[in-house]
Amino acid sequence: MRILLGEDEDKMRELLRKFFEMEGYEVVEASDGEAALEKFYDEKFDLAILDWMMPKMNGLEVAQIMKRERNIKILMLTAKNMPEDEVDALMAGVDDYLAKPFHANVLLIRVAKLLGVIQQDIKQPLVFIPNEKRVLLHNSELTLTKKEYEMLYYLYQNQGLPLTREQILLSVWGLDNENDERTVDSFIRILRDKIGKEFIQTVYGIGYRFELPKE
């Protein structure tokens, strides 16, 4: 499936392009609103992802023109996060709206839903939805307690790094707690039972390390 990506920030555009290409999407880039419209007229796309604050022509204006011309799905990305901004975007015909900063996996889920991609096609084995404190494992929601979620998210954010039990304890429970390092071991066992042992590795003499399994 083909995505038209309109984003004026070079680094953000490059990161998003690489992320979607890793998921099997074909991405065509545009660095301003006028360039996005030119590519829209010249080629066919399944989805347009537009930044609201693009130069030359903003994303909202581009979206309105695109919707008049074709039946195309549009996702708006923006630093504008007031309720009235979201209302303006939806009234302009935008299909979905995501405020910056956002988690890449949340964007992936939104895109998959807009395109009607079956969830099994999403390659990320573990997907976090931080604002809702939810986790999907192979597209099925995990049942986690608050502390289980917080520990798993902390490990995930530091994936690839060996973490001591003390680091995990302080980061998840804070300084003012009466737990000891055995609490960390107990929660690790629970998480391994829920997500599989392959995600959380024991680093002997140190503690634990989170790794996403390689395909």
Side-chain angles (χ1 to χ4, degrees):
M1 290 188 172
R2 306 189 77 230
I3 295 175
L4 173 58
L5 176 60
E7 167 62 65
D8 61 304
E9 294 183 20
D10 294 340
K11 186 175 181 180
M12 172 66 76
R13 192 174 64 251
E14 181 181 1
L15 287 172
L16 290 175
R17 176 182 58 78
K18 289 180 178 178
F19 182 73
F20 283 118
E21 286 178 345
M22 286 173 58
E23 294 297 322
Y25 295 101
E26 182 182 349
V27 181
V28 175
E29 301 175 56
S31 59
D32 61 66
E34 289 184 357
L37 267 184
E38 288 177 9
K39 294 180 186 299
F40 169 76
Y41 284 123
D42 290 342
E43 305 177 48
K44 289 186 178 181
F45 298 95
D46 300 290
L47 171 72
I49 300 176
L50 305 173
D51 178 67
W52 190 320
M53 303 303 291
M54 287 189 294
K56 297 187 179 179
M57 184 180 294
N58 70 48
L60 198 61
E61 294 172 318
V62 173
Q64 289 173 320
I65 295 172
M66 287 182 174
K67 281 294 188 180
R68 285 201 301 265
E69 297 290 331
R70 291 182 203 162
N71 182 21
I72 184 173
K73 298 291 186 181
I74 298 177
L75 172 62
M76 184 72 71
L77 301 179
T78 178
K80 296 164 74 72
N81 57 8
M82 298 300 290
E84 55 267 29
D85 298 322
E86 185 171 0
V87 170
D88 287 344
L90 296 174
M91 290 295 290
V94 169
D95 297 281
D96 202 356
Y97 178 100
L98 191 57
K100 299 177 180 178
F102 51 83
H103 195 285
N105 284 333
V106 175
L107 175 61
L108 182 63
I109 293 289
R110 297 283 187 93
V111 166
K113 286 184 175 180
L114 285 175
L115 292 173
V117 177
I118 59 173
Q119 289 198 337
Q120 284 79 0
D121 286 345
I122 298 173
K123 297 178 182 177
Q124 298 289 336
L126 203 63
V127 176
F128 286 82
I129 308 175
N131 60 328
E132 300 177 14
K133 296 196 181 320
R134 296 169 56 211
V135 184
L136 305 180
L137 175 64
H138 300 303
N139 309 306
S140 295
E141 186 164 353
L142 290 172
T143 300
L144 299 173
T145 66
K146 182 175 182 291
K147 285 301 179 188
E148 288 167 4
Y149 173 85
E150 289 175 357
M151 178 183 281
L152 182 58
Y153 193 45
Y154 174 70
L155 294 170
Y156 174 78
Q157 287 181 308
N158 292 277
Q159 59 184 284
L161 299 176
L163 301 169
T164 66
R165 291 169 176 81
E166 183 180 12
Q167 283 177 299
I168 298 170
L169 191 64
L170 290 174
S171 296
V172 177
W173 278 270
L175 291 171
D176 187 22
N177 76 87
E178 298 179 355
N179 296 292
D180 59 30
E181 295 181 2
R182 288 174 297 180
T183 301
V184 173
D185 295 332
S186 296
F187 272 76
I188 291 292
R189 284 195 294 271
I190 293 169
L191 289 176
R192 281 174 167 167
D193 286 342
K194 292 187 176 184
I195 69 172
K197 295 180 180 179
E198 66 271 20
F199 288 93
I200 303 174
Q201 302 172 0
T202 299
V203 182
Y204 293 100
I206 299 177
Y208 300 99
R209 179 176 59 234
F210 183 93
E211 293 280 4
L212 287 173
K214 295 181 180 179
E215 295 183 5

